Amino acid sequence: MMNKDWLPIKEVAKELYCSVRYIQTCKAKGLFIAGEHFYQVGNHRQGKLIFNIELCRKALLDQTRKESEDQKIVLMETYQ
């Protein structure tokens, strides 16, 4: 039985309505953290990446919220 919370990178990209490249960018920028949002099976360079869809979705929502708050602060400073 496959656990639907943990998915390979292609399926995670499909579920999050984004590209595999964007998932890799989030991983490279530290938004998705190894051992928390994903794990790797196999060789370091060629291992299969498995992501937790709910934790990744939460990380993206948190990032969106933070960016939105930062933008509001900049706009408030601009108009004052």
Side-chain angles (χ1 to χ4, degrees):
M1 184 167 105
M2 179 155 178
N3 186 340
K4 295 294 181 185
D5 292 336
W6 291 92
L7 301 170
I9 191 168
K10 287 182 182 179
E11 291 181 39
V12 170
K14 182 178 176 184
E15 289 290 321
L16 295 176
Y17 301 101
C18 64
S19 66
V20 169
R21 177 173 237 162
Y22 183 72
I23 300 295
Q24 293 168 335
T25 299
C26 290
K27 179 179 162 277
K29 289 184 176 182
L31 184 60
F32 297 159
I33 302 165
E36 182 178 343
H37 297 96
F38 70 94
Y39 64 90
Q40 188 167 358
V41 179
N43 184 338
H44 175 69
R45 292 272 182 199
Q46 299 172 346
K48 188 173 188 177
L49 295 173
I50 308 295
F51 290 81
N52 183 294
I53 185 72
E54 292 305 319
L55 292 177
C56 290
R57 184 175 282 125
K58 183 179 180 326
L60 290 172
L61 287 170
D62 291 344
Q63 180 67 19
T64 301
R65 185 179 305 110
K66 181 182 178 298
E67 288 175 359
S68 176
E69 289 170 358
D70 291 347
Q71 185 178 16
K72 285 179 187 176
I73 290 170
V74 170
L75 288 175
M76 287 174 55
E77 290 175 354
T78 302
Y79 290 113
Q80 290 179 357

